[in-house]
Amino acid sequence: MKNLKLIAIALIALFTSCDNNDDAQTNITIPTDGFTHNGQFFETPNMYLEINEDDSDNDNIPDSYTVFFSNGRMFDNDANVNGSSGDYLFSLNTTNFVFLQVYASENPDLTVAGPLPGNTYIVNNTDDSLLIENAQITPLNPSYITNGIEFGMGDENYGTIITPNNTNPTITLNELNIDNNTPANSTVDIDYTFTAANGDIITGHYSGTFGVIQD
């Protein structure tokens, strides 16, 4: 048990040393990073992992992890730049987005260790977990540009927001490869399932590098 906790702490320290933005995208002829809904594929070649550093039970393990998949870029908006109010900003080219909230309290494995390959984790189906198809991002006024990328906020009047039914979505962590020399080159391979409120079953996949956001 103690060794598992040490592994979790080491993973957290490594993850939080990564860049908050994921620059790498899968370079393949037929994309597989994305989700499929009613036979249509929605590409999401970027992944971000947010680690909630709250530790309500003082076990040196984060209370939750949030996994994001997107076809654009994310920006942690703790500073509420240019008067914006959202927790996150998105690059203006973002149209597809997945938000999956994983609580340690719902996943016993996460109460003794960080995310480990070979495990399937339950996603909370009532607290913000959702998918968005054909989203639209509205620029800030004044505009906000960082690293040559302009960011804005999602417009709730556009796109299709899909929420889960009473079946919990799941995330399966197939592989986790940590690059100790260059943490930002660490990679994951993930599959996930999501049953929409109307009963549609949506499946997704991601394989590649990932950005990290500390909460």
Side-chain angles (χ1 to χ4, degrees), residues 122-191:
I122 294 172
V123 175
N124 187 275
N125 67 336
T126 60
D127 191 4
D128 296 330
S129 295
L130 54 80
L131 294 87
I132 301 177
E133 302 170 353
N134 305 313
Q136 180 172 304
I137 309 301
T138 301
L140 301 184
N141 186 16
S143 62
Y144 180 73
I145 299 173
T146 181
N147 295 324
I149 299 172
E150 184 173 357
F151 289 86
M153 295 182 61
D155 190 329
E156 296 181 358
N157 295 316
Y158 291 88
T160 302
I161 299 175
I162 303 171
T163 56
N165 68 1
N166 58 1
T167 301
N168 289 86
T170 60
I171 292 176
T172 299
L173 182 58
N174 301 311
E175 296 181 10
L176 175 62
N177 302 302
I178 301 299
D179 187 328
N180 291 290
N181 295 319
T182 309
N185 291 337
S186 300
T187 61
V188 296
D189 185 282
I190 290 177
D191 289 302

Side-chain angles (χ1 to χ4, degrees), residues 55-83:
D55 183 14
S56 60
D57 51 6
N58 298 312
D59 61 356
N60 295 318
I61 300 295
D63 288 343
S64 68
Y65 301 85
T66 308
V67 184
F68 306 91
F69 304 101
S70 172
N71 67 337
R73 301 284 296 278
M74 280 184 64
F75 180 83
D76 186 9
N77 193 32
D78 282 345
N80 299 119
V81 299
N82 292 5

Side-chain angles (χ1 to χ4, degrees), residues 19 44 51 83 101 128 154 181 208:
D19 182 2
T44 56
I51 302 173
Q101 181 77 55
D128 296 330
N181 295 319

